[in-house]
């Protein structure tokens, strides 16, 4: 019987399964785990029932410390209790974890594993949080993919109940928690059948209850404490077989074979990797790739990391293996090796069979683990003395321990179409792509995967949507490195980002821009032109902004871009795509009235018919940019900030961070980050202005700054530099300067303006750029200040210190921008 | 030059050194670390100066979470910051520890390592707390003795500053933190000279400061986080040599040789133990003992556990070693081996030299690690296939992994006198012994060690003082197992505790009792008589209670017992002892007036002259007790509670705790724990009583219970069962029953009594025992209740449910005592 399939992310899969087995969920939100708790909360509010026919009781606490305490108390009261957390949140739960485990309570923590903050914090995935709990007595169960989360989260709950040991069930934050996959769903009826109802009954009966009181949590002396810790051993000894048993049941249900340790690869492998988490899916791809080339390699995926059963561990490793590389996705300062590596070596020590074992770190801090990293690891194992204690995925020119990256190979299953979309945070690109993947996932027999890369800037930052589609299940738990299709939804990006990186030979590129075929050659950077020509790229443009304005959709270009994508990428028949898109629009916008639906339907039609196929002349292959004289800028900006902003931070070597070991970053860097991302920026209408300066006060990016100029300064201003007489300040000229390149287009300024006729009006960025030079001028009027982002306001209405500032800044060389801003506001 | 010596415990040593290097101490108390913070607080209040000539700033926070946050913030503000903690307190600091380490801040945590609570909590020492932080990036430095705390705590501070890595400096809770030793003291001037002032200056300059702002604690994406974690490696790579360097300096100062790993034993050892913490001193003793017998054994003491330097580790192990046992003082449920064991095996894996390595747990939950345990471990290593994954120190008849204990050997350095004192919590025995050890330690050239074993009952529990004296430095970090002298300060103990255990042949036994030579034979248990005779024990008695009453000291027997001890044990010339004792009295009680001093001086004189040497007749060797018929009692009481109360809990096998794995203990056990420890208990004076029942309300041990009897019940009462007419309740008789065996003699009842003439008067226990039978009668007047500690109050002034109670309790069999009490109050 074909199982029901659904397109969802890892968090949703975990929430789906955990809800089934949960009486009480004690929660506190932390990225990237929040969605699990939010879903449970939402479902409970909607009255969804768990396998016991009851609504889950949700308790939101004041911190993860409180959530863990509530879990403990609720379990002792006989309720199956669950929580969801990550990173520092998990660390706050550690004290209670010892208690929950010590008291043999079947709680389950679902953890979207995430970096623990050290010299910097990060919301992305590695195992440093989970590894900080490996000594608590919790069982640790790991999954490598969204489908595995669906399959094995159930094993965690079932085994906790039967085995009387709490479980920490984890999968990689963002990579698995936020990756959308079309997966098979386990139904609650099936899960209910797997439950050990007798064990559950025992658990409920042994809860603390005033009707039959008992004593727990005694304070013990050294006479009996040791003995009383040893008596629990058998629960941990029995657990591996219990977990293996439930895995067998899941295997029976799903046809997917699960063990505590899953071996994948050549049965007679000579080299092998041992790893845990999402990277295992990438390793499997590389194993297939290399074995197809005649190599003999394999992978042991660790699912049950604690209790660590050496017996099961040894069972699956082919005796032909001579060399092993253990990959840990964590870094433990001070340990001479990472935890899984320590375990593996210790497990093999003293055995007759002594393979060569090396180990290293990869994927730390959420670093994408891609096939070339893995290929590099297998390559390293070929050496007589493979490099040990290595890192992979970075260039380490300080410690010199990084492996050279392997070949840039394409290991994604053949027949998969990979599509990448460059968007602007909150421009609708991500939402449209989520809708696209559901259309394809839920309406066709195709598998689909989506991952949305965006940085912590969120709204206003760059978003890159990575979509894969195909007839075969998709592993590839990494960003698209080989794309069939790339769309760029913001024309400014072509100057700032390596938009075409990874586009396959003959692939398609869709650029949203206002340029005609005639203009395009003069607009594109030379490198882009060369890439397009050399790689026979099918190059399309569409003026989505223009079309949206024309239809009346304002800046909402996502429907236009989406239909253009369906047309060009040709993943499903265009006719179907149009129908599904229009149905989706009707569903989403139906309640906003016929007109809105009609506009969006028009956008879909226009999207298909307004694509312009660009003719690529032969001379593009020799294109060269004019030499540009760049201003002298500080090393940090040149060497770190600019590459990071260009989305090329992954290539920064370790040495780029020398002297920043303790997490110190220079200030004043936004002065060099003129992003120009706003579609609409404010224009100052001098006649309407009442000089209240509220617009300046509310601007979160210091875009709007009131200036006062004396006569001398005013007379030195260029033409078009309009001002008005300053209120209450004789002989001074007032002006609101606007820095369009800093603006994100939020419109707060225009909204707050109390003038009868708004003195700030949002206009398309292009029309405002003339102001930029004026702004530059304003910045330059004092000869003493540093040339960027620092300015003098002479005769200002502000306190005296401000006036003194520019000179001092230029003099001391210390982050003048920050000082200026703090002095102003 | 002879160094200054002082008698102090490990906490004081750590506080002394840490105070020197601390600008700010952010504290929160937790046993057994509290004293460190309290001392720092006290010294700061007294105006003591650190090496910078400043008073330490003490900040007490609301929890250890807050303390860790304050440490982090204070360090970032450029203040050398310290905290003191243990166990769950340390766990709450984990999130901040990652930050402090990541930001390379030279904070130091002094940890008196203590059990982390799981199925039970414990205040005693093991390494489970410290091991939970081994992944945080803190350096972990371990000490084995009080002297080492003095010597190496400085290394922690110095290395943190020079190496820019925070330190967790730890030693075993209670065993080292509370063991008093005569040690050499490091002076602040010496410490100041060792400081790397330039590194300190760098630290202070790089602090966060609004005058030169910078950015720390950035949120990073996956592009740079990995690289930026790797750039810090060198601080950890450099640290071992920095620590080794400071150890060399300390060695130079003190003559005591310190390395990251200290080897002790035969240079050509074939067997070796690797361990950490206080047990190492015991192992050294056994190493000496076995090597003296021609064996070839050794010990590697781990001082710097993190960063773990394999290079240094390997350097000190003799290449002749064939077998290694790694001892961990922690238990990690779910790991297949404990942390140090994992590290050692992983460190040796793949090396050409492949010794056989086994490992096990000992000292878990504060279990005393004694020479026979260690001898057992070395014995195990003799086998061709030594037992692996063992425990030692307990009898494990469930998992069958415990090593048989070795021989009961005496490894304490020859010439050491070991003295053991059985006292009652708060009877002054411990205080007197602390004074004795200071007298000997500070006034003579003898070394001295003291450890005070008492359970969590604190006041009113048993205390056992373990004192050792000798011309050589004393290791023996365990309770006295071979005593030269034993004193028993409470005569009831001879029935309840194995008071004479471990008394050497020919040793001395001093019993405080009111019995004459003529009476003694009929009072002593037969086993005691046999032991005394068979082991030629010098047996003395003294009626200290009688003497104290006579002098006017009431129950304060400690001075009398102490002078008797000095007379019998003959450790220092009696004349000196008397003088020092009298000086101490004058110092301690001088401010209480001449009379008090005179009384105590009289006590000292009396103590010496009132000792009675008991003649031990030959027939004691054949003494037999009369057979006693014991009531049927529940298994738990028989098998667990009674042995624990007899101080024989150490001998309980693991199986005693089957079915209590989750930390569940039965209730109602105090009904079986009639300790009879009070010297004075309340007597009810019916005529004075106004029947307010406040005495019953304030009694913390439910000793005093108001009863109401009807005519029928009253007429069935035995003679002497006096009552008075109940106020406001016609035809009922009122009585306050007193349970003398439950009383701790606190006197709250007598104090609260509002009657003009007190209705409750404290009288010596002996005179009250007649009441016990009356109490038994009161308990028995209802035929329905269980015979112990449950009674019926018919026609009570309390609510009706109480009246119903007795029948229900007898019927359901559920912990009636607790219910009764909760219903009453």
């Amino acid at each position: 019987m074909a199982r029901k399939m659904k397109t969802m992310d890892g968090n949703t899969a975990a929430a789906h399964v955990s809800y089934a087995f949960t009486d009480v969920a004690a929660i506190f939100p932390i990225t990237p785990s929040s969605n699990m708790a939010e879903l449970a909360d939402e479902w409970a509010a909607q009255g969804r029932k768990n396998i016991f026919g009851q609504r889950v009781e949700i308790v939101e606490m004041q911190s993860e410390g409180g959530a863990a305490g509530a879990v403990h108390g609720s379990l002792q009261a006989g309720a199956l209790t669950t929580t969801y957390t990550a990173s520092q949140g998990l660390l706050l739960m550690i004290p209670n974890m010892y208690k929950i485990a010590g008291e043999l309570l079947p709680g389950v923590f679902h953890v979207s594993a995430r970096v623990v903050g050290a010299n910097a914090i990060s919301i992305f995935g590695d195992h440093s949080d989970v590894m900080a709990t490996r000594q608590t007595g919790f069982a640790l169960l790991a999954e490598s993919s969204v489908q595995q989360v669906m399959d094995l989260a159930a094993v965690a709950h079932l085994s906790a109940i039967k085995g009387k040991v709490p479980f920490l069930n984890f999968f990689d934050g963002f990579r698995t928690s936020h990756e959308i996959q079309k997966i098979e769903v386990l139904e609650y009826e099936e899960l209910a059948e797997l439950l050990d109802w007798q064990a559950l009954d025992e658990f409920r009966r042994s809860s603390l209850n005033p009707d039959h009181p008992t004593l727990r949590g005694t304070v013990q002396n050294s006479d009996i404490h040791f003995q009383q810790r040893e008596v629990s051993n058998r629960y941990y000894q029995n657990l591996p077989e219990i977990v293996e048993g439930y895995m067998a049941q899941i295997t029976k249900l799903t046809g997917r074979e699960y063990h505590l340790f899953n071996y994948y690869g050549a049965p007679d492998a000579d080299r092998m990797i041992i790893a845990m988490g999402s990277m295992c899916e990438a390793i499997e791809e590389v194993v297939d790739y290399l074995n197809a080339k005649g190599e003999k390699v394999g992978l042991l995926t660790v699912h049950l990391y604690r209790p660590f059963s050496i017996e099961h561990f040894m069972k699956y490793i082919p005796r032909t293996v001579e060399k092993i590389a253990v990959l840990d996705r964590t870094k433990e300062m001070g340990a001479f090796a990472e935890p899984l590596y320590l375990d593996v070596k210790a497990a093999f020590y003293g055995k007759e069979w002594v393979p060569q074992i090396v180990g290293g770190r990869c994927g730390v801090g959420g670093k994408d683990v891609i096939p070339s990293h893995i290929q590099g690891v297998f390559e390293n194992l070929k050496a007589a003395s493979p490099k040990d204690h290595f890192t992979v995925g970075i260039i380490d020119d300080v410690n010199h321990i990084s492996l050279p990256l392997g070949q840039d190979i394409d290991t994604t299953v053949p027949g998969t179409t990979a599509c990448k979309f460059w968007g602007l945070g909150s421009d609708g690109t991500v939402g449209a792509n989520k809708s696209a993947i559901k259309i394809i996932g839920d309406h066709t027999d195709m598998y689909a995967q989506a991952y949305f890369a965006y940085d912590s800037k969120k709204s206003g930052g760059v978003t890159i949507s990575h979509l894969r589609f195909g007839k075969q299940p998709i592993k590839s738990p990494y960003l698209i490195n080989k794309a069939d299709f790339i769309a760029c939804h913001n024309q400014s990006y072509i100057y700032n980002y390596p938009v075409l990186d990874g586009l396959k030979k003959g692939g398609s590129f869709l650029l949203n821009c206002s340029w005609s075929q005639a203009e395009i050659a003069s607009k594109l950077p030379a490198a882009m032109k060369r890439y397009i020509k050399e790689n026979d790229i099918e190059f399309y443009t569409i003026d989505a902004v223009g079309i949206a304005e024309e239809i009346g959709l304002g800046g909402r270009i996502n429907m236009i871009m989406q239909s253009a994508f369906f047309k060009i990428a040709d993943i499903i028949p265009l006719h179907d795509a149009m129908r599904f898109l229009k149905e989706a629009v009707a569903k989403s916008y139906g309640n906003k009235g016929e007109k809105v639906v009609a506009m969006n339907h028009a956008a879909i039609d226009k999207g298909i018919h307004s694509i312009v196929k660009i003719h690529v002349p032969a001379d593009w292959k020799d294109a060269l940019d004019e030499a540009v004289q760049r201003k002298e800028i500080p090393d940090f900006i040149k060497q770190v900030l600019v590459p990071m902003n260009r989305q090329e931070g992954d290539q920064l070597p370790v040495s780029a961070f020398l002297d920043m070991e303790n997490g110190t970053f220079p200030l004043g860097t936004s002065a060099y980050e003129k992003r120009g991302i706003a579609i609409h920026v404010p224009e100052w209408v001098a006649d309407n202005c009442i000089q209240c300066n509220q617009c300046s006060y509310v601007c979160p990016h210091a875009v709007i700054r009131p200036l006062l100029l004396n006569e001398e300064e005013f007379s030195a201003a260029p033409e078009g530099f309009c001002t008005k007489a300053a209120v209450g300040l004789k002989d001074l000229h007032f002006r609101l300067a606007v820095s369009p390149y800093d603006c994100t287009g939020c419109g707060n300024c225009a909204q707050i303006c109390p003038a009868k006729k708004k003195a700030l009006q949002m206009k398309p960025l292009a029309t405002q750029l003339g102001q930029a030079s004026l702004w530059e001028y304003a910045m330059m009027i004092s000869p003493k200040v540093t040339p960027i982002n620092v300015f003098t306001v002479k005769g200002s209405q502000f306190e005296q210190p401000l006036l003194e500032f520019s000179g001092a800044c230029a003099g001391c060389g210390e982050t003048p921008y920050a000082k200026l801003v703090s002095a102003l506001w």
Side-chain angles (χ1 to χ4, degrees), chain A:
Chain A
M1 184 198 71
R3 304 188 64 77
K4 190 168 130 198
M5 303 206 73
K6 234 176 148 181
T7 306
M8 66 175 77
D9 64 14
N11 275 338
T12 308
H16 170 79
V17 171
S18 69
Y19 195 93
F21 293 105
T22 298
D23 295 320
V24 174
I27 61 173
F28 192 79
I30 183 168
T31 304
S33 73
S34 308
N35 316 47
M36 290 186 277
E38 284 165 6
L39 285 167
D41 198 1
E42 187 182 325
W43 295 336
Q46 291 164 353
R48 179 163 160 176
K49 301 284 195 290
N50 60 19
I51 60 168
F52 313 112
Q54 294 186 311
R55 207 177 56 78
V56 171
E57 179 79 25
I58 306 284
V59 196
E60 183 160 15
M61 303 299 291
Q62 84 297 351
S63 84
E64 290 89 350
V71 169
H72 181 203
S74 173
L75 284 164
Q76 275 293 14
L80 291 174
T81 313
T82 302
T83 192
Y84 313 93
T85 193
S87 195
Q88 286 81 226
L90 180 60
L91 299 188
L92 288 174
M93 296 188 174
I94 290 176
N96 273 294
M97 291 176 76
Y98 282 90
K99 292 296 297 170
I100 293 168
E103 294 167 357
L104 298 170
L105 299 168
V108 179
F109 290 10
H110 291 282
V111 173
S112 49
R114 167 186 156 183
V115 179
V116 167
N119 47 358
I121 69 167
S122 167
I123 56 170
F124 292 98
D126 73 17
H127 300 164
S128 50
D129 55 355
V130 170
M131 284 302 171
T133 69
R134 68 187 189 271
Q135 73 293 335
T136 57
F138 264 58
L140 266 56
L141 188 70
E143 287 107 38
S144 317
S145 69
V146 180
Q147 181 68 65
Q148 287 186 12
V149 174
M150 175 62 74
D151 295 345
L152 297 184
V155 172
H157 285 274
L158 291 163
S159 304
I161 294 165
K162 190 186 182 82
K164 301 187 199 297
V165 171
F167 269 68
L168 188 159
N169 182 62
F170 73 100
F171 42 87
D172 290 355
F174 280 105
R175 187 64 251 176
T176 307
S177 69
H178 284 60
E179 179 183 307
I180 298 177
Q181 277 267 10
K182 181 171 169 181
I183 61 164
E184 290 183 14
V185 178
L186 291 177
E187 304 296 341
Y188 281 17
E189 302 75 44
E190 302 172 311
L191 297 178
E193 274 178 32
L194 297 180
L195 186 71
D196 182 337
W197 290 86
Q198 196 189 326
L200 177 64
D201 192 51
E202 271 172 39
F203 160 65
R204 296 215 197 275
R205 277 176 193 278
S206 73
S207 63
L208 287 178
N209 188 319
D211 288 338
H212 42 83
T214 188
L215 176 64
R216 284 193 196 142
T218 56
V219 179
Q220 294 180 348
N221 291 343
S222 51
D223 52 352
I224 63 165
H225 195 273
F226 193 176
Q227 294 95 305
Q228 200 245 4
R229 290 295 286 149
E230 293 297 325
V231 77
S232 302
N233 291 358
R234 66 188 160 105
Y235 293 97
Y236 289 82
Q237 287 154 1
N238 296 341
L239 202 62
E241 272 307 318
I242 289 172
V243 174
E244 185 77 30
Y246 277 118
M247 285 176 160
Q249 303 249 38
I250 295 291
T251 298
K252 209 167 129 190
L253 273 178
T254 65
R256 288 178 288 277
E257 195 175 332
Y258 290 115
H259 299 287
L260 307 190
F261 302 90
N262 271 87
Y263 180 76
Y264 187 92
D268 54 347
D270 51 14
R271 286 164 297 143
M272 190 180 82
I273 289 176
I274 300 178
M276 197 155 43
S278 64
M279 72 167 102
C280 292
E281 298 265 300
I283 301 172
E284 287 188 4
E285 287 188 353
V286 177
V287 164
D288 286 342
Y289 177 89
L290 294 178
N291 287 345
K293 289 187 171 305
E295 300 196 18
K296 301 269 188 197
V297 298
L299 162 73
L300 192 76
T301 298
V302 179
H303 288 303
L304 189 69
Y305 181 56
R306 288 286 181 272
F308 193 102
S309 167
I310 295 188
E311 185 196 330
H312 292 85
F313 171 74
M314 287 293 174
K315 197 162 130 188
Y316 294 103
I317 306 176
R319 288 301 177 277
T320 51
V321 166
E322 287 161 16
K323 292 174 183 178
I324 297 174
V326 185
L327 297 182
D328 271 278
R329 192 165 197 161
T330 187
K331 177 176 176 66
E332 298 206 342
M333 289 290 192
F336 64 83
E338 269 51 57
L340 181 59
Y341 184 32
L342 282 180
D343 283 341
V344 169
K345 273 195 158 177
F348 267 103
Y349 189 88
K351 297 260 182 305
E352 281 175 28
W353 171 36
V354 189
Q356 202 169 2
I357 305 176
V358 297
R361 294 182 285 278
C362 71
V364 170
K367 179 76 71 190
D368 215 24
V369 182
I370 60 176
S372 70
H373 301 167
I374 303 305
Q375 208 262 353
V377 173
F378 279 123
E379 199 63 27
N380 177 49
L381 284 183
K382 281 183 181 166
S385 295
K387 207 162 183 169
D388 196 5
H389 302 292
F390 56 79
T391 54
V392 63
I394 56 174
I395 298 157
D396 189 344
D397 51 352
V398 172
N399 306 290
H400 306 288
I401 55 172
S402 57
L403 295 184
L405 302 187
Q407 294 145 17
D408 182 18
I409 51 181
D410 185 2
T411 61
T412 300
V413 62
T416 305
T417 306
C419 310
K420 211 165 139 183
F421 304 79
W422 291 77
L424 177 73
S426 74
D427 77 346
T429 301
V430 168
N433 283 323
K434 281 188 178 166
S435 145
I437 197 118
K438 294 219 166 182
I439 284 176
I440 296 175
D442 295 344
H443 289 89
T444 75
D445 61 351
M446 295 183 87
Y447 286 89
Q449 178 208 44
Y451 186 82
F452 304 97
Y454 33 78
D455 69 14
S456 323
K457 281 199 181 98
K458 298 185 177 176
S459 175
V462 180
T463 69
I464 314 174
S465 307
H466 299 259
L467 271 54
R468 291 189 177 97
F469 310 96
K471 296 279 184 190
Q472 300 297 320
I474 298 159
K475 294 177 179 173
S476 302
Y478 44 84
L479 303 177
I480 287 173
N481 57 344
K482 303 288 170 196
D484 297 282
F485 170 91
I486 289 178
C488 178
H489 290 196
N490 189 312
Q491 76 186 30
S492 75
Y493 284 9
I494 62 172
Y495 304 115
N496 298 323
Y497 306 120
V499 169
L500 292 181
D501 262 18
L503 187 56
K504 291 180 188 170
K505 214 171 167 71
S508 303
F509 175 45
L510 170 64
L511 176 64
N512 168 31
C513 66
S514 55
W515 304 316
S516 65
Q517 164 86 49
E519 288 171 302
I520 201 93
S522 68
K523 298 293 187 185
L524 291 195
M528 191 171 248
K529 288 196 273 189
R530 291 197 301 270
Y531 192 94
I532 289 171
K533 185 68 202 170
E534 283 166 8
N535 292 283
D536 303 325
I537 302 302
E538 305 275 333
F539 181 20
Y540 305 91
T541 61
I542 186 165
D543 181 9
V545 174
I547 296 168
E549 298 256 342
E550 182 192 321
I551 298 178
L553 278 169
R556 291 181 208 86
I557 61 167
N558 51 0
M559 274 303 149
I560 300 159
M561 294 307 292
Q562 207 177 349
S563 70
F565 154 66
F566 273 108
K567 168 91 185 283
I568 297 169
D570 192 26
I571 293 165
I572 57 174
L574 187 60
H575 177 77
D576 290 346
M578 302 265 296
R579 181 162 57 87
F580 297 143
L581 273 176
K582 287 185 176 175
E583 281 171 13
V585 160
K587 202 173 157 191
S588 305
Y589 301 127
N591 60 356
K592 297 198 170 162
E594 224 169 280
K595 198 181 153 202
V596 172
V597 172
M599 282 196 296
N600 277 286
H601 282 186
I604 292 166
D605 292 329
K606 281 272 188 187
I608 290 166
H609 298 110
S610 308
I611 298 165
V612 178
K613 175 88 167 70
I614 299 292
H615 166 71
V616 177
D619 66 356
W620 280 23
K621 76 170 165 35
D622 302 317
L624 277 179
D625 283 322
E626 281 174 47
V628 178
Q629 179 109 29
R630 293 204 180 269
K631 281 196 202 137
E632 209 32 62
I633 52 174
D635 283 351
F636 173 78
I637 303 300
K638 206 160 31 187
Q639 290 160 14
V640 179
L641 188 80
V642 170
M644 279 173 65
N645 279 345
R646 285 187 57 82
Q647 302 291 316
E648 289 168 349
D650 277 314
Q651 278 92 59
L652 286 174
V654 173
S655 63
F657 303 95
L658 278 171
D659 299 328
M660 296 160 64
E661 292 92 339
N662 68 351
T664 302
F665 271 58
L667 282 170
T669 57
S670 55
Y672 300 94
E673 203 183 346
K674 301 286 174 197
R675 299 190 297 152
I677 56 166
I679 291 178
H680 294 95
V681 300
E683 184 178 54
W684 184 51
V685 185
D687 287 347
N688 298 348
C689 186
I690 59 173
Q691 301 182 33
C692 69
N693 292 336
Q694 287 190 44
C695 50
S696 176
Y697 181 75
V698 298
C699 175
H701 289 81
V703 169
I704 302 175
R705 309 183 197 185
L707 298 181
L708 290 168
L709 294 90
N710 61 20
E711 204 54 55
E712 188 190 348
E713 289 165 339
F714 179 67
S715 61
E719 204 154 342
F721 188 85
C722 67
T723 62
K724 66 190 299 182
V727 173
L729 292 160
K730 204 166 165 270
D731 298 334
L732 287 176
H733 297 263
F734 177 84
R735 175 174 170 80
L736 274 185
V738 175
S739 173
Y741 285 126
D742 285 319
C743 182
T744 64
C746 72
N748 284 352
C749 50
Q751 217 159 7
I752 199 88
C753 179
K756 250 190 204 154
K757 288 183 179 175
K758 296 276 180 186
L760 285 159
Q761 296 176 358
M762 300 303 287
K763 296 280 172 66
L765 172 65
T767 70
Q768 298 290 296
L769 284 181
Q771 288 202 359
S773 57
L774 298 182
W775 168 243
E776 291 272 341
Y777 170 76
M779 281 164 28
M780 300 293 282
I781 50 180
S782 159
K784 288 194 194 161
V785 297
T786 48
I788 290 182
N789 248 345
V790 180
F791 62 100
T792 302
V793 184
K794 289 199 178 164
S796 157
Q797 60 181 313
F798 295 103
E799 292 291 295
Q800 187 63 13
L802 181 64
L803 298 176
E804 310 273 288
F805 234 91
S806 64
C809 294
C812 72
E814 279 177 2
T815 56
Y817 178 78
K819 281 196 172 172
L820 188 61
V821 172
S822 68
L824 264 168
W825 303 295

